[in-house]
Amino acid sequence: MIKVKSIFIMCALLATTTAYATDSKPIKLWYNRPAEKWDAEALPIGNGRMGAMLFGGIKTEHIQFNEQSLWSGDNNWDGEYETGDHGFGSYRNFGEFIIDFDHVDVATQYERSLNITTGIHTTSFKIDGVRFFREAFASHPDQMIVFKYTASQKAALSGSISMTSAQGAISVTNKNGISFAGEMPNKLKYAAKLNFEHEGGEVSVEGDRLVFKNCNTLIIYLDARTNYKPDYNAGWRGADPMPIIEKEVRNAQQLGFQQLKTRHINDITRLTAAATIDIGKTAADISAMPTDVRLKKYAAGGKDPDLEETMFQYGRYLLVSSSRPGGLPANLQGLWNNSDTPAWASDYHNNINIQMNYWAAESTNLSECHIPLIDFIVAAEEPCRIATRKAFGEKTRGWTARTSQSIFGGNGWEWNIPASAWYAHHVFEHWAFTNDTVYLKRTAYPILKEICQYWEDRLKQMPDGTLMVPNGWSPEHGPREDGVMHDQQLVWDLFQNYLDASAALNIDRDYQVKVATMQAHLAPNKIGKWGQLQEWQEDRDDPDDQHRHTSHLFAVYPGRQINMIKTPELAKAAIISLRSRSGNYGKNINTPFTVESTVGDSRRSWTWPWRCALWARLGEGEKAGMMIRGLLTYNTLSNLFTNHPPFQMDGNFGISGAMAEMLLQSQNDEIQLLPAIPQSWAAEGAFYGLKARGGFTVNCKWLNGKVISYQIYSENPVKVKLRVNGQVKEIVSSRFK
């Protein structure tokens, strides 16, 4: 596994950020009624590997759960997008357990909530004067989901528990709990175990149900696993899951609920509280409302900066909950899925979606949560090499991937030929933000060099000496042809990342020259006849095109080839292209740019965050702010899950990264404070714990749109170029205390 040098940096800042986070009101989602719809209303908890969706029912408590490695499909699949038991496969629902209580289904003083700092889900209500209280959390340190049920009156808890496998395994019940184990058609073994403790009352078994009567307290420990192993050479299979589950459950029960809860809170807040933002104050009467009511008022045009802050922290919470070292990366739905036929297989889509999942990882101080993506890239290399040679010739060096990828080295649907170059961007960014040279040497550099070799062999030299990516595609827009700008930009980015990495390690001088020469000869970006940044070599862009993808703007964000400081003319052309995609050019050139005018295909869960980040990089704070409002208004469900539609989590992850870009940027060999804040944030605010490339952690306060104080920390004091309040100066960073 990759060791993250920057973990200690986050810990060093924890005292500051935790104090800040806990001095203010808890950041939580809350509702005054139970959930009915899984995707729109239930609330998620997760420990990085395993997750659950909670409904908070009064008489019937319904809990659906997942484990991120329960996939159908065949090993090393290469071809059509077949999402059944075989072929490419899909991510699957693990199961559910249901508690049917004997009390009535009508209650008063109902509240269910999810604290997204502590990861604690609670439900409380009163029936006939008795208060019922439930707590649930997914523990990463102890690899367990834990539930506790209490009441203000003794002997008030009676009912039954059942647990069902979504894959057909038969449940076995005894007085201690319920378990099931089975094997998928692809020979993946799976198992789950629910252990039950009670105080007072009595327990019996009736068929497959566990019946409890007159109990004071119930505690449930849930664990689920497969025998998946992220290793091509091991056939993607490892140890039988049930013995591991039984050991983990025993250990959890020995610790007990309170120790498990304390260990969980200490672990998760180390990450969730590592970065905070304060962009304004919501009126007290609005703050007092349930989250779904606040969302509706905001969508109707209301002001609620605390809701925007919640969206920022929710994306971070979801990443912490679905992507931890040692596990798989977050997929299209994070890790929460109640279907055996989820949209797009709930897979790893590499033409924007999985990348957007990780935009907030480095900049919002969740560097260790980036590791599962990098481990996934490493694990997939060999099957991708085989598939690449099959598609592009046996002598092809390096590798790339089809658009859809599975956890078994599977490649499905269209070839996304520059996919590996985009993956290399993430591999490089982890080093750029952490300065972990051991990681750079052992993990990042070999990946970067091998992918450069793929492009060294593949680039096509034109009669004028320029190099083009052959047979490219501007996802998901237009024909396949040579020199698509999206592909050109990705290869430029790859080469620049390689050059920076090799220079930092001071190795491979000859190959540095080779790569620099190739980069210099790449066919450049072009400005078209109506001032736009061209999407293709031919100047055929339509000024009234409102396609959802902005693929040819990769060079602005998340790339670094085009910016207002070093390439202002190209940046201005990018602005025109972005206006066009937003329905604000061509026939609408003289109409105001508004949230409402961004229509149709441009309203997707992931389009708003990408455009928010693009506007931020282009220094357009007002338009960036509009993109946040657009996401919350048109593509956010009551539980704040983003909706493509259907439900898809890239919007949640992406908006956190985009909001960070509005407050702090570091892609131009300098740190820039408040590069793109909208007027609605300008009056007074602060951020703490955001990260800048070079291993820096940054705190900042502002008043009336001007920075009034800042702190920049690093492992050792170093000189930093800083852009603040319209001035550029050189400062020396402070050492972490």
Side-chain angles (χ1 to χ4, degrees):
M1 299 308 300
I2 298 166
K3 294 183 179 179
V4 185
K5 180 180 176 183
S6 58
I7 289 176
F8 86 94
I9 296 176
M10 290 187 286
C11 294
L13 189 65
L14 187 59
T16 301
T17 55
T18 302
Y20 179 77
T22 54
D23 284 348
S24 57
K25 289 184 178 180
I27 304 175
K28 69 177 186 178
L29 284 61
W30 80 273
Y31 305 83
N32 57 14
R33 58 182 177 82
E36 295 180 5
K37 298 178 181 178
W38 180 91
D39 59 343
E41 297 174 335
L43 294 173
I45 58 175
N47 65 8
R49 179 183 64 82
M50 185 169 47
M53 293 288 281
L54 285 74
F55 288 72
I58 297 168
K59 180 175 174 57
T60 300
E61 171 80 306
H62 174 206
I63 295 166
Q64 183 273 329
F65 61 93
N66 293 102
E67 203 276 351
Q68 63 183 182
S69 64
L70 188 71
W71 265 75
S72 66
D74 298 324
N75 290 357
N76 313 311
W77 177 258
D78 176 25
E80 296 301 316
Y81 202 41
E82 299 175 10
T83 58
D85 288 338
H86 294 286
F88 179 81
S90 72
Y91 184 46
R92 293 295 181 92
N93 179 7
F94 213 106
E96 65 181 16
F97 73 88
I98 293 175
I99 309 178
D100 285 312
F101 291 95
D102 287 351
H103 55 237
V104 298
D105 200 20
V106 179
T108 60
Q109 299 180 30
Y110 180 93
E111 180 179 318
R112 65 184 173 98
S113 68
L114 173 63
N115 186 312
I116 59 173
T117 302
T118 63
I120 304 291
H121 182 283
T122 60
T123 308
S124 65
F125 51 85
K126 272 189 175 182
I127 298 177
D128 295 331
V130 179
R131 175 162 292 282
F132 294 85
F133 185 71
R134 306 171 186 167
E135 289 181 276
F137 58 89
S139 167
H140 177 71
D142 297 294
Q143 291 296 296
M144 196 68 43
I145 304 183
V146 187
F147 308 84
K148 185 177 183 179
Y149 301 81
T150 59
S152 62
Q153 179 178 297
K154 289 188 176 181
L157 299 173
S158 296
S160 65
I161 305 174
S162 60
M163 183 169 73
T164 306
S165 163
Q167 304 306 316
I170 303 300
S171 294
V172 177
T173 306
N174 58 43
K175 286 188 177 182
N176 294 321
I178 310 171
S179 64
F180 62 74
E183 186 174 282
M184 302 277 282
N186 63 358
K187 306 302 181 184
L188 183 76
K189 294 180 179 179
Y190 62 92
K193 189 175 184 67
L194 180 159
N195 266 29
F196 177 85
E197 290 180 355
H198 65 102
E199 178 189 310
E202 56 186 46
V203 177
S204 62
V205 175
E206 294 184 6
D208 62 354
R209 296 186 305 145
L210 193 64
V211 178
F212 56 94
K213 292 184 178 180
N214 304 323
C215 295
N216 306 328
T217 302
L218 310 176
I219 299 177
I220 293 172
Y221 305 88
L222 176 68
D223 198 0
R225 284 187 175 272
T226 76
N227 70 331
Y228 173 76
K229 184 178 182 180
D231 185 348
Y232 166 82
N233 292 317
W236 307 104
R237 304 295 187 272
D240 191 277
M242 188 58 88
I244 301 171
I245 289 172
E246 289 174 340
K247 180 180 179 180
E248 288 174 338
V249 172
R250 283 196 305 271
N251 291 343
Q253 289 187 278
Q254 288 173 2
L255 285 169
F257 180 84
Q258 194 54 52
Q259 277 199 68
L260 289 169
K261 181 179 175 181
T262 299
R263 286 160 60 88
H264 160 73
I265 290 174
N266 290 340
D267 169 72
I268 196 170
T269 55
R270 175 179 61 85
L271 296 169
T272 56
T276 60
I277 66 171
D278 178 2
I279 53 176
K281 188 174 183 180
T282 295
D285 61 329
I286 300 295
S287 294
M289 295 176 179
T291 301
D292 53 341
V293 176
R294 289 174 67 177
L295 182 64
K296 289 178 181 178
K297 287 189 172 293
Y298 182 93
K303 294 182 179 180
D304 194 342
D306 289 348
L307 182 63
E308 294 179 348
E309 291 172 21
T310 298
M311 201 66 172
F312 171 81
Q313 293 293 4
Y314 195 38
R316 298 180 70 253
Y317 164 80
L318 292 169
L319 189 61
V320 169
S321 301
S322 60
S323 184
R324 290 289 200 107
L328 288 162
N331 61 40
L332 278 176
Q333 297 179 188
L335 57 72
W336 298 274
N337 169 40
N338 69 336
S339 172
D340 287 338
T341 57
W344 298 287
S346 192
D347 66 17
Y348 298 98
H349 249 57
N350 59 39
N351 67 354
I352 177 58
N353 310 96
I354 188 174
Q355 293 91 342
M356 184 178 286
N357 285 5
Y358 286 88
W359 282 356
E362 300 295 342
S363 61
T364 76
N365 216 336
L366 297 177
S367 189
E368 68 182 76
C369 296
H370 209 171
I371 292 172
L373 175 61
I374 298 165
D375 286 343
F376 175 81
I377 293 166
V378 172
E381 283 181 308
E382 186 56 25
C384 283
R385 289 183 189 112
I386 294 169
T388 298
R389 289 195 293 266
K390 178 182 172 184
F392 301 104
E394 283 300 317
K395 294 184 179 179
T396 303
R397 294 183 295 171
W399 60 274
T400 191
R402 293 179 185 265
T403 302
S404 296
Q405 291 181 266
S406 79
I407 68 169
F408 304 123
N411 280 279
W413 197 47
E414 294 268 359
W415 277 97
N416 181 26
I417 300 173
S420 56
W422 201 332
Y423 279 142
H425 175 86
H426 283 264
V427 170
F428 176 82
E429 287 283 85
H430 184 65
W431 171 74
F433 277 90
T434 64
N435 267 6
D436 185 344
T437 53
V438 174
Y439 158 80
L440 178 65
K441 184 175 183 179
R442 293 180 179 176
T443 303
Y445 184 77
I447 295 172
L448 291 164
K449 184 174 181 180
E450 183 178 6
I451 297 170
C452 282
Q453 289 172 334
Y454 172 81
W455 287 104
E456 180 185 352
D457 293 348
R458 181 157 181 81
L459 286 172
K460 181 177 179 180
Q461 187 167 351
M462 308 307 289
D464 63 358
T466 60
L467 297 174
M468 285 191 188
V469 174
N471 196 32
W473 183 39
S474 190
E476 299 169 358
H477 189 211
R480 284 198 175 273
E481 60 186 40
D482 295 344
V484 170
M485 294 305 180
H486 169 75
D487 298 5
Q488 297 291 125
Q489 294 169 2
L490 273 164
V491 175
W492 186 97
D493 186 78
L494 166 70
F495 288 166
Q496 189 60 52
N497 292 337
Y498 170 80
L499 291 170
D500 289 350
S502 57
L505 294 173
N506 194 25
I507 58 175
D508 282 346
R509 293 290 185 88
D510 290 344
Y511 199 61
Q512 286 185 45
V513 172
K514 178 83 171 179
V515 170
T517 301
M518 289 191 293
Q519 186 191 49
H521 285 84
L522 286 171
N525 291 292
K526 292 181 177 182
I527 298 175
K529 57 181 176 290
W530 44 276
Q532 86 282 10
L533 190 69
Q534 289 183 204
E535 188 164 4
W536 300 280
Q537 291 295 319
E538 183 182 342
D539 188 359
R540 63 168 180 266
D541 305 87
D542 180 355
D544 292 309
D545 184 356
Q546 296 173 33
H547 195 272
R548 62 194 178 277
H549 278 266
T550 48
S551 300
H552 59 308
L553 302 185
F554 171 89
V556 178
Y557 183 92
R560 51 178 169 147
Q561 186 181 3
I562 296 175
N563 57 77
M564 295 299 294
I565 295 171
K566 296 180 179 179
T567 58
E569 294 306 312
L570 289 173
K572 291 174 185 176
I575 288 173
I576 292 174
S577 287
L578 192 49
R579 285 181 58 191
S580 168
R581 284 290 155 88
S582 303
N584 188 238
Y585 218 75
K587 63 186 179 183
N588 297 321
I589 191 170
N590 294 318
T591 59
F593 187 104
T594 64
V595 175
E596 295 78 14
S597 68
T598 304
V599 298
D601 198 35
S602 292
R603 291 182 181 175
R604 304 283 182 174
S605 61
W606 54 269
T607 57
W608 299 105
W610 195 353
R611 295 177 191 201
C612 179
L614 288 166
W615 286 124
R617 284 280 178 94
L618 294 165
E620 297 269 2
E622 291 305 312
K623 291 184 176 66
M626 289 180 193
M627 299 301 102
I628 300 169
R629 183 167 287 277
L631 178 65
L632 282 162
T633 299
Y634 298 112
N635 294 89
T636 300
L637 302 167
S638 295
N639 59 3
L640 300 190
F641 276 1
T642 56
N643 194 29
H644 182 274
F647 149 66
Q648 197 167 291
M649 200 163 281
D650 41 18
N652 288 108
F653 297 131
I655 202 63
S656 301
M659 291 173 75
E661 290 293 322
M662 297 166 69
L663 299 170
L664 175 69
Q665 294 180 21
S666 60
Q667 71 279 2
N668 290 320
D669 301 318
E670 64 179 32
I671 293 175
Q672 187 173 1
L673 302 178
L674 307 188
I677 65 167
Q679 192 60 38
S680 60
W681 296 4
E684 185 176 8
F687 65 78
Y688 301 85
L690 295 184
K691 302 290 286 188
R693 292 167 183 82
F696 299 104
T697 301
V698 185
N699 302 336
C700 174
K701 290 184 179 181
W702 67 88
L703 190 65
N704 297 322
K706 297 291 184 182
V707 174
I708 57 172
S709 68
Y710 59 84
Q711 299 84 39
I712 300 177
Y713 299 98
S714 57
E715 182 178 352
N716 295 301
V718 295
K719 290 181 180 179
V720 184
K721 185 180 178 183
L722 179 68
R723 187 177 296 265
V724 55
N725 294 337
Q727 296 182 328
V728 180
K729 56 185 177 179
E730 192 174 83
I731 67 163
V732 176
S733 62
S734 300
R735 187 193 301 271
F736 283 109
K737 297 178 181 179

